[in-house]
Amino acid sequence: RQCEKTRHSLLDHFLQALRQLPTKQDSSDAAASLIACVMALESYNIQLPRTDDDNDDSTMTNSNSALKKNEASESIRLLANAPTPMRIAVSLSLLQYAEKLMSSICSQSANSVELHSGSKLKVNISEVALLALVGPNSDEERKQLTSYSEYTGDQKRSILYLTVSLLQTVRDATSTPSAKKLVRKSQGNDVDLCLRLWQELMQTHVNALRAHSKLIANDVLEDFEKRFWVAATTATSACLENLQNILPVPHFLASVSSTLSEDSVDDYIRKKTIRLLSERVAEVNSDSPEALLFLEAVPELVSQVCVARPKITDETSLVSYRRAIVMQQGALIAIESFARSLYPPTDDSKLAKKASDAFIPALTSVTRLLGEGASSWIDSNSDDNNNSSYDVRDVECQLFSSAALCIYRLVTVLKARCIPHLPSIVTPLLAALKSINIFIGSTTDQADTTGKFLQLSILRTLSAVAETLPQFLLPYLPLIFSKNALASIVLRRGTAEGENSVRAATDEVSEVLATRTPIRQLVPALSQALGRNLSQNEEGSSWEEATSILAIMKIAVESSQRSELTPVIGKIFNGLVTSYAYELKKADNREELLSNTNKCLLALVMKLSEAQLRPLYARLREWRGDIKNDKDSSSSSHVRRSAFWNLSAELSKSLRSIFLPCLTSVISDVFDELEIAVSILCKGSKTKVGSKRRKLEESEGEDDDVDQLRPLQPLLLCLELALKADAHEGGDWTRGDDNQRYNMLLNHLGKLLLSQIPSNMDVKSDLAPSEKQSASKFQQIVQGVGTLEHGNVVGCLTSLAAAAGNEQLWKPLNFAVLEACGHKRSEVRKAGISCLLSIIETIGEEYMVLLPECLPVLSELLEDGDEEVAGMAKECVRQGEELLGESLEESLR
C-alpha cells in the first residue's frame, strides 16, 4: 500500500512538472503521453499470469470482466487532477490515440501500428500499443508484433481494453461540471480546441459505426470483440451528446456549416452532423436569440435537399444513389424539426417574417422533391417499369414520405403563405395516393410496410392542408374524391386504433374535410363523386367508395347549420337518390349502401324543420314514381320502391309520431303496395302443365313477381314503426278517416297472414346461414322468425292492434287471426297463434274481452300435431289465466 502511495505521489509530481513546459501545447502533449502510457500499462495488467491448470476460457472470462467493468484507474485520477483547459486538450489527444488504435484494429496491414504523432513530446501510438500488448519488455519481443490479426487472445483483449478506456476517459472528462463551464464560455484558442474535439469525435464515432457494421456483416468477431464495438460506439455517442449540448450556439453552427459546405467531408459525417443539428434545435425556444442563429442554417439544409443524385449504371452508382437519398432524407427531417421549434406561435412578429423568409424557399425545394417522388412512384408501378429495383424504390418511398411529412409541418406553420404552392403539393400527393391504393389493392399482401407509410404520410399532409387552408381546396375536391383516392376501400382496411393506423388517418382527413371545407363547395363535389362511382352497371369497388363518400357527406351535414344547408339541399338530394337507385346483386352489399344512404338522409332531416321535411319527402315520393300505373314493372322501378320504403322505415324509426303526416301523404301508396303483395302471394298454387316453353314463360313470370315483392318487407317495417308511434300517442292516426285507414290495413295484412311466400323471395333477417336453411321464407316474412327488426306481418298486426285501442276494432282483427289459427297449413296456424300470443303480451288485460272467442280455437290447437303450435297455444292459455286471475281449464273442455 505504501508503494502505491509513493507511485501516486511520483506521478502527481511528474504531471505538475509537465505543466511547467514552455507552451500549453507541449504541456498537454506530454500529459496526454503520460496518461496514455499509464493506461496502456493498466491494459497490459489484465493479462493475468496463468498456471498450467488454467485454460484459455478462464483467461477470456477474466479479461472480459475487466473490459466490462472498466473500474476507476490511475489514469482517470491523473486526468482529474489536471487543470480544466489542459483536460480538454488532453482529451483531444487521447481521442486521437483511440481513433488510431481502432484503425489498427480494423486494418490487416503489417504496418498498421507504425503511426507517428508529429510532436516531439507526444509519444507515438505504436509505443502506446506495444505497452498494452507486451508491457515493458525487450525491443526484440516488440518487433515480432505488428498486426492485430496476429495477436493472441489476451493481447487482443488488452488492446481493446485500452481503446475503450481511452474513449470512456474522454467521455468522463468532458462531462464534469468544470469542463462543461469551460466549453460554454470558451473563447479564442479554447473555442478552436472544443471544435476540434467535436469534429474528431464525429469522425471517430462514424468510423466506429462503420467498422462495427462491416465486421458484424462479415461475421468475424468473437463475443468479447462484439462487446468492445458496442462499448466504443456507446462511448463516442455519449461524448458527442455531451459536447453538442454545451458548445456555444455560434460555434456549434459554424462547425456544422463548415462540415456541410465542404465537399471533402464524408457522407456519414454529414448525415451525423445533420442529425445532431436536429437534436440541438429541438431544445431552442422560438422567441430566444438563438432562434435567429439557427434560422441562418436553413439554407444549408435546403442545399442538402437539392443535392443531385447520380444515375444508376452499376452497383457502385447504386450505393452512391442510396447515400444521396439518405442525405436528402436527413435534411428533410432537420427542416421539419426546425419548423416545429423555430416558427413563432404568432404571425405578426418580426421573427415570424424572418422565419417565413427562411422556410418558404425550403417549401419550394421540398415540393419540387415531392413531385419528383410522386412521378417516380407512379412510373415504377407502370407496366413499362415493373422491373425497377426494389431497393431503389424502397429508399425513394422513404424519401417521398419524409418530403410529405416535412410539407405537413411547413404548411402547418406557414399557413396562407403556402397558397401559391398548393398545386405543387396537393396534385402530386393525390396522384401518388391513387397509385399506391391501386398497387396495394391489386396485391394480396395487405401488410405492405412501404405502402402503409406512404399512405400515412400523404394522409397526414392532406389533413394539414385541409385544416389550414380549407377554403382554397375547391379546385382539388374532384381529384380528392375521384376513384381510388381518399374514398378508396384500401384506406379503410384494418382497425381505426393506434397512431399508425391508415384507417384512423383516413377518418381524420375525412372529418377535417367535412367539417372545415365550406359546405357550399363540398356538397357539389361529393354529389358529383357519387354520380361517378354509381354510374357503372357492374359490381366492384365503386359502390364501396360511394359508402365512404356518403359517410363524409353525413359528417358535413351534421356539422353544418340549417341556414348553410338550405342552398345545397338539392345537391344532397341528387346524390342520395343516385345512391338509392343503384342496384347491386348481392343483398349484403345492397344493404350496406342503403344503410349509409339512410344515415346521410337522416342527418339531413334532423337539421330541417317539419315544414322543410314534407317537401323533401314529397320529392322522394316523386322520384320513386307511381306504383299503380307502373306498367313496365322494370327492375329500376322495384329498386326505387324498395329504397323509398326503406328510407321511410328509417325516418319512422327516428322521427316517430313526427313522421306520421308524411306517411299520411303516401297512405294510398301503402295500400297499393299491400294490394300488389296480396295479389301475388294469395293467388294460390298452380300446377304447371304444358310445353317446356310455357313452363319457362311461367317461371320468368314468377321471377318478375318476386322482384315486385322487394318493397314488401321495408313497407311492413315502416308500418310497424309508425303504428307503434301512433299507439304511444293514442292511436288517432290509425283510426283516421272514420276507421277506414285501419280497416284497409287490416284487410291486407289479414290476407298476408294466409299467404304463400316463394322460396326465392329475398328476405332480410338476422338468422345465421345454417338457421336460414331450417326457417322457411313464410316463417321469416310472416311469422317474424329472425325478422323482428326488419319487418314482418305478425309484428305489423300486433302494432295495429295496439294502435286500434278498442274492442270494436279488435273484433275483426281477432277474427282474422283466429282464421289463420284454424288454417289447414301448419305454418299458417303457427303464424296465427304466434300473432295471437304477441297481441295478448302487448295489450294485456284489455284484450281479455275477446278471450272467449279464442278459447275454442285454442282448445283445438292444444292438441295440434305440431309441438311448437301446441306450445304457443298453451302459453296463450297461461297468459290468459294470469291476466284473468282464474283457471280456463273448464272453458277449454
Side-chain angles (χ1 to χ4, degrees):
R1 192 171 187 82
Q2 185 62 36
C3 291
E4 184 177 353
K5 289 182 179 181
T6 304
R7 183 169 177 269
H8 288 176
S9 178
L10 285 173
L11 288 172
D12 289 341
H13 282 86
F14 191 19
L15 182 62
Q16 187 67 26
L18 295 178
R19 292 172 57 186
Q20 307 304 318
L21 291 174
T23 65
K24 291 182 179 180
Q25 183 66 43
D26 289 342
S27 296
S28 60
D29 286 346
S33 299
L34 171 63
I35 294 174
C37 290
V38 170
M39 294 177 72
L41 290 174
E42 290 175 346
S43 301
Y44 172 73
N45 288 336
I46 72 169
Q47 301 182 38
L48 302 176
R50 291 182 294 174
T51 65
D52 295 337
D53 296 333
D54 291 335
N55 53 36
D56 188 62
D57 289 340
S58 63
T59 305
M60 184 183 301
T61 302
N62 291 331
S63 56
N64 285 344
S65 177
L67 177 59
K68 183 177 180 181
K69 292 179 180 178
N70 192 27
E71 297 175 345
S73 62
E74 184 69 35
S75 56
I76 297 176
R77 189 187 65 79
L78 283 173
L79 186 59
N81 291 335
T84 301
M86 178 185 285
R87 201 181 306 163
I88 298 298
V90 170
S91 295
L92 176 60
S93 297
L94 296 181
L95 181 64
Q96 292 170 342
Y97 281 138
E99 185 176 4
K100 291 176 181 179
L101 282 173
M102 282 196 293
S103 177
S104 69
I105 292 169
C106 296
S107 175
Q108 298 301 319
S109 170
N111 298 319
S112 58
V113 294
E114 296 300 328
L115 306 172
H116 301 284
S117 63
S119 173
K120 294 180 179 179
L121 295 176
K122 191 173 184 180
V123 67
N124 288 337
I125 184 60
S126 57
E127 296 294 325
V128 175
L130 287 170
L131 275 177
L133 293 172
V134 298
N137 295 327
S138 65
D139 292 341
E140 292 300 323
E141 185 177 357
R142 295 186 183 194
K143 293 178 182 179
Q144 298 174 2
L145 298 170
T146 56
S147 174
Y148 175 80
S149 59
E150 299 177 8
Y151 297 166
T152 65
D154 288 343
Q155 289 175 331
K156 287 182 178 180
R157 289 177 178 81
S158 294
I159 205 69
L160 296 180
Y161 180 78
L162 172 60
T163 306
V164 81
S165 296
L166 288 167
L167 293 173
Q168 291 175 342
T169 301
V170 174
R171 178 198 63 193
D172 296 339
T174 55
S175 60
T176 60
S178 57
K180 290 181 179 180
K181 183 177 180 180
L182 174 68
V183 174
R184 286 195 185 99
K185 297 183 177 182
S186 57
Q187 295 179 351
N189 294 332
D190 290 341
V191 172
D192 295 336
L193 188 63
C194 293
L195 290 179
R196 283 181 59 199
L197 179 60
W198 190 80
Q199 292 170 342
E200 287 285 350
L201 272 172
M202 181 79 69
Q203 183 69 57
T204 304
H205 181 63
V206 170
N207 290 342
L209 289 174
R210 276 184 173 177
H212 188 202
S213 300
K214 181 179 179 180
L215 294 172
I216 286 291
N218 294 335
D219 195 22
V220 295
L221 297 179
E222 299 288 341
D223 288 342
F224 68 91
E225 291 174 316
K226 292 178 182 178
R227 286 195 291 275
F228 159 74
W229 287 110
V230 171
T233 53
T234 302
T236 53
S237 178
C239 290
L240 275 175
E241 185 176 350
N242 287 337
L243 267 183
Q244 76 156 350
N245 290 331
I246 59 178
L247 272 177
V249 170
H251 305 149
F252 173 77
L253 292 177
S255 177
V256 168
S257 178
S258 174
T259 301
L260 295 180
S261 59
E262 292 182 9
D263 296 335
S264 59
V265 176
D266 188 88
D267 286 343
Y268 280 93
I269 296 179
R270 289 176 186 268
K271 176 183 173 183
K272 185 65 179 179
T273 301
I274 292 174
R275 181 178 299 176
L276 293 175
L277 183 61
S278 301
E279 294 173 357
R280 183 74 180 263
V281 78
E283 302 172 0
V284 178
N285 293 324
S286 60
D287 56 351
S288 66
E290 295 177 341
L292 292 174
L293 297 176
F294 275 94
L295 283 174
E296 295 176 359
V298 173
E300 290 288 349
L301 295 174
V302 174
S303 66
Q304 299 300 317
V305 172
C306 300
V307 66
R309 295 188 293 247
K311 291 185 178 180
I312 302 176
T313 56
D314 52 20
E315 191 66 28
T316 303
S317 60
L318 174 61
V319 173
S320 301
Y321 186 85
R322 289 173 59 90
R323 286 181 179 175
I325 287 182
V326 170
M327 285 297 302
Q328 289 178 307
Q329 189 176 8
L332 290 170
I333 295 172
I335 292 173
E336 192 272 340
S337 181
F338 268 57
R340 183 174 61 251
S341 301
L342 301 181
Y343 207 92
T346 57
D347 271 348
D348 55 354
S349 62
K350 292 183 179 179
L351 182 59
K353 177 66 169 59
K354 293 183 179 181
S356 62
D357 290 343
F359 288 121
I360 287 177
L363 180 62
T364 302
S365 298
V366 178
T367 51
R368 187 183 304 115
L369 187 64
L370 183 79
E372 295 172 357
S375 300
S376 176
W377 171 268
I378 294 171
D379 291 343
S380 67
N381 287 334
S382 65
D383 294 335
D384 298 333
N385 292 280
N386 46 15
N387 292 324
S388 59
S389 170
Y390 177 81
D391 291 338
V392 171
R393 190 177 71 173
D394 188 48
V395 294
E396 287 179 344
C397 289
Q398 294 177 23
L399 179 64
F400 180 84
S401 297
S402 298
L405 293 175
C406 184
I407 291 175
Y408 158 79
R409 181 59 59 186
L410 292 173
V411 168
T412 302
V413 299
L414 292 172
K415 296 183 175 65
R417 296 181 179 90
C418 297
I419 294 174
H421 295 84
L422 276 184
S424 302
I425 296 173
V426 179
T427 303
L429 281 177
L430 291 170
L433 181 63
K434 294 177 69 171
S435 178
I436 295 163
N437 291 341
I438 293 172
F439 171 74
I440 295 179
S442 63
T443 180
T444 56
D445 184 12
Q446 297 184 9
D448 184 82
T449 305
T450 301
K452 176 183 175 182
F453 284 127
L454 280 174
Q455 289 172 325
L456 281 172
S457 59
I458 292 172
L459 290 169
R460 287 174 179 170
T461 308
L462 288 175
S463 178
V465 173
E467 182 73 34
T468 309
L469 305 168
Q471 62 272 33
F472 297 98
L473 285 179
L474 178 60
Y476 312 103
L477 291 178
L479 184 59
I480 291 173
F481 299 117
S482 61
K483 188 174 177 63
N484 294 312
L486 182 63
S488 173
I489 192 62
V490 173
L491 296 174
R492 287 164 175 80
R493 292 174 176 170
T495 63
E497 299 177 356
E499 61 179 15
N500 289 327
S501 167
V502 173
R503 184 171 180 177
T506 305
D507 292 343
E508 180 184 351
V509 176
S510 300
E511 185 170 357
V512 170
L513 281 170
T515 55
R516 298 281 294 170
T517 308
I519 197 164
R520 67 181 185 278
Q521 298 178 358
L522 183 63
V523 165
L526 293 173
S527 183
Q528 292 173 7
L530 280 174
R532 288 193 301 269
N533 279 287
L534 299 178
S535 63
Q536 304 173 7
N537 294 322
E538 56 184 23
E539 293 192 33
S541 63
S542 297
W543 73 268
E544 293 176 308
E545 294 196 6
T547 61
S548 303
I549 294 171
L550 287 166
I552 297 173
M553 184 180 287
K554 172 180 173 289
I555 297 173
V557 170
E558 289 175 338
S559 61
S560 301
Q561 300 296 323
R562 182 184 297 176
S563 58
E564 297 173 324
L565 287 171
T566 302
V568 294
I569 288 179
K571 294 290 186 182
I572 297 174
F573 177 85
N574 292 337
L576 293 178
V577 296
T578 299
S579 180
Y580 280 129
Y582 191 70
E583 184 175 8
L584 286 163
K585 295 178 182 178
K586 293 183 179 180
D588 292 342
N589 298 345
R590 183 168 63 247
E591 287 300 326
E592 183 177 349
L593 179 60
L594 199 56
S595 173
N596 281 274
T597 312
N598 284 340
K599 290 177 182 178
C600 188
L601 173 65
L602 187 60
L604 174 62
V605 168
M606 290 300 183
K607 292 288 183 176
L608 304 179
S609 64
E610 289 188 49
Q612 291 174 306
L613 171 61
R614 294 177 189 178
L616 176 64
Y617 192 72
R619 290 185 64 182
L620 289 168
R621 181 186 184 277
E622 183 182 357
W623 161 79
R624 182 210 62 197
D626 191 49
I627 296 174
K628 202 167 186 179
N629 297 324
D630 187 11
K631 302 299 182 182
D632 59 351
S633 297
S634 63
S635 175
S636 60
S637 173
H638 304 152
V639 171
R640 291 196 304 271
R641 286 162 51 200
S642 177
F644 177 78
W645 294 117
N646 196 295
L647 69 89
S648 297
E650 189 67 31
L651 293 177
S652 181
K653 178 181 180 181
S654 300
L655 302 180
R656 300 179 66 81
S657 60
I658 298 175
F659 179 69
L660 292 178
C662 293
L663 190 58
T664 303
S665 66
V666 295
I667 193 64
S668 60
D669 298 332
V670 172
F671 298 147
D672 290 341
E673 290 284 10
L674 290 175
E675 187 176 340
I676 291 173
V678 168
S679 66
I680 295 173
L681 299 177
C682 300
K683 59 186 178 182
S685 59
K686 297 181 180 179
T687 305
K688 297 179 183 179
V689 293
S691 63
K692 291 183 178 179
R693 179 177 180 180
R694 181 176 178 182
K695 291 180 180 180
L696 181 60
E697 290 175 351
E698 291 178 353
S699 176
E700 291 174 351
E702 287 183 1
D703 291 339
D704 184 62
D705 287 345
V706 170
D707 285 339
Q708 291 195 62
L709 293 174
R710 289 174 62 174
L712 177 59
Q713 191 177 18
L715 172 62
L716 291 173
L717 179 60
C718 177
L719 279 176
E720 181 182 347
L721 295 170
L723 291 169
K724 283 182 178 179
D726 185 48
H728 189 267
E729 298 294 327
D732 292 338
W733 183 85
T734 302
R735 296 188 295 270
D737 297 333
D738 196 20
N739 296 332
Q740 290 186 21
R741 187 175 298 157
Y742 172 83
N743 291 327
M744 288 288 287
L745 290 173
L746 176 58
N747 179 43
H748 292 100
L749 293 173
K751 291 177 181 179
L752 289 176
L753 203 56
L754 311 176
S755 62
Q756 290 182 319
I757 307 298
S759 60
N760 59 342
M761 180 178 175
D762 189 12
V763 178
K764 183 180 179 182
S765 71
D766 295 325
L767 297 176
S770 59
E771 295 173 323
K772 286 184 179 182
Q773 299 294 328
S774 58
S776 67
K777 294 298 175 68
F778 181 90
Q779 290 176 298
Q780 296 176 49
I781 199 67
V782 177
Q783 185 179 339
V785 177
T787 57
L788 296 179
E789 301 295 329
H790 307 292
N792 58 84
V793 175
V794 168
C796 206
L797 278 169
T798 303
S799 298
L800 182 64
N806 62 66
E807 180 183 352
Q808 180 185 356
L809 296 180
W810 285 335
K811 278 185 175 291
L813 186 148
N814 191 61
F815 177 81
V817 172
L818 293 178
E819 182 182 3
C821 290
H823 201 275
K824 61 180 180 180
R825 285 165 47 207
S826 175
E827 62 180 2
V828 177
R829 295 197 303 275
K830 190 181 299 182
I833 191 61
S834 68
C835 185
L836 179 61
L837 178 60
S838 177
I839 292 172
I840 292 174
E841 291 175 339
T842 302
I843 300 177
E845 187 176 353
E846 295 179 23
Y847 199 76
M848 290 299 97
V849 296
L850 299 176
L851 187 59
E853 297 179 10
C854 303
L855 291 177
V857 176
L858 289 174
S859 177
E860 293 181 7
L861 293 180
L862 287 171
E863 300 177 0
D864 195 278
D866 190 321
E867 293 183 0
E868 191 174 350
V869 173
M872 284 190 284
K874 186 175 181 180
E875 179 61 22
C876 287
V877 173
R878 190 194 67 77
Q879 292 263 6
E881 290 177 337
E882 184 176 323
L883 291 170
L884 293 173
E886 60 183 43
S887 174
L888 298 175
E889 186 175 352
E890 291 295 331
S891 302
L892 292 170
R893 290 180 179 177

